[in-house]
Amino acid sequence: MTDHPPDDAGPDDATAVAGELALRVLSPAEEARARAREASDPAFAAEVQIWNDRLAALAEEIPAVQPSTDVWPGVEARIGAAAGPAANDNGRAGFWRAWALGSTGLLAASLVAVAVLATRPAPVPVVQPAPVGGVTRIATLSLESGTPAVTLVYDTVTGNLFLAPTAPMDPDAGVPHLWLVRPDGAGVQLVGAIDGSASSRHTLDSVLAATADQARAVAISMEAPGHTPAADRPDGPVVASGELQAL
């Protein structure tokens, strides 16, 4: 997993940066630069306002989504198989059941996905056809209380994964780590440590990308500082999770 900030904005990508600013998916430094540009550049400020208007209208049209009834049994089986008897430690099982019965909160994820799709550069005409089967996958990872904590967008063509925290995570609870929940009871796969307080973009390697293409859900565990858990089992408590959906 490779972290990197979005490229600096130029005159040709003002619309893209305006969309990212409206969705608050820029890093703090990038957001500060974009806010300064918004204050000094009327044309850019107009682009930001257009995005705000688009997203406000979209939010009114997207209905709430309930997870399917078979989500909890499948997730419980995968986590249990991967973690063994320790799966119920730290309230993990109770959390997963509460998540499966609650709303997945796809509204925020859908809004971010719109920005990702809109900011993709137009393809350059080539002899070879475009990649087949690429989709954008989205998820809202919610806390046990049902509060949306992180919006995730994953592009299966580029391997880019976008994370935008929507609720602060307690830094004293540990370091948040992102997990992919494999299909067919195959357990979980560690993606790595993430920033629980700022938006970020990651590029998954080929192994993780193959898993992310098929994963049914994603989750976040809180691990001890300086500790990296095994790739197939969280050691700390699972504090947030969400079902992946194709946009």
Side-chain angles (χ1 to χ4, degrees):
M1 180 180 70
T2 301
D3 301 353
H4 49 84
D7 296 334
D8 289 340
D12 295 333
D13 59 359
T15 298
V17 176
E20 293 176 332
L21 177 61
L23 285 160
R24 302 296 300 275
V25 297
L26 296 173
S27 70
E30 291 162 346
E31 180 172 344
R33 291 196 297 270
R35 290 295 183 194
R37 182 178 179 182
E38 181 184 18
S40 62
D41 184 344
F44 180 72
E47 290 282 2
V48 175
Q49 186 58 50
I50 290 172
W51 270 103
N52 287 332
D53 293 342
R54 288 174 179 168
L55 297 177
L58 180 62
E60 296 176 354
E61 299 175 2
I62 300 176
V65 177
Q66 287 290 116
S68 57
T69 56
D70 65 340
V71 169
W72 159 243
V75 172
E76 184 179 44
R78 294 179 184 91
I79 296 297
N88 289 327
D89 292 348
N90 301 310
R92 292 193 189 108
F95 170 81
W96 283 102
R97 188 178 300 276
W99 162 73
L101 297 176
S103 171
T104 55
L106 290 176
L107 171 59
S110 299
L111 299 182
V112 176
V114 169
V116 173
L117 291 174
T119 57
R120 285 184 186 170
V124 177
V126 292
V127 176
Q128 295 296 326
V132 177
V135 297
T136 297
R137 309 193 72 199
I138 60 177
T140 293
L141 291 89
S142 298
L143 303 174
E144 186 173 3
S145 64
T147 301
V150 176
T151 294
L152 179 150
V153 178
Y154 174 63
D155 185 341
T156 62
V157 173
T158 64
N160 286 335
L161 185 150
F162 300 82
L163 295 170
T166 54
M169 293 187 178
D170 182 4
D172 295 333
V175 178
H177 283 61
L178 182 67
W179 300 82
L180 301 170
V181 181
R182 298 174 182 270
D184 303 324
V188 295
Q189 172 67 49
L190 175 65
V191 176
I194 62 173
D195 190 334
S197 61
S199 300
S200 58
R201 182 174 66 186
H202 313 269
T203 299
L204 304 187
D205 61 30
S206 58
V207 175
L208 284 175
T211 301
D213 288 351
Q214 302 298 322
R216 183 174 180 181
V218 285
I220 293 174
S221 70
M222 300 300 280
E223 306 293 338
H227 169 69
T228 300
D232 60 353
R233 185 184 68 187
D235 291 326
V238 176
V239 298
S241 63
E243 185 176 0
L244 278 165
Q245 302 280 350
L247 184 67

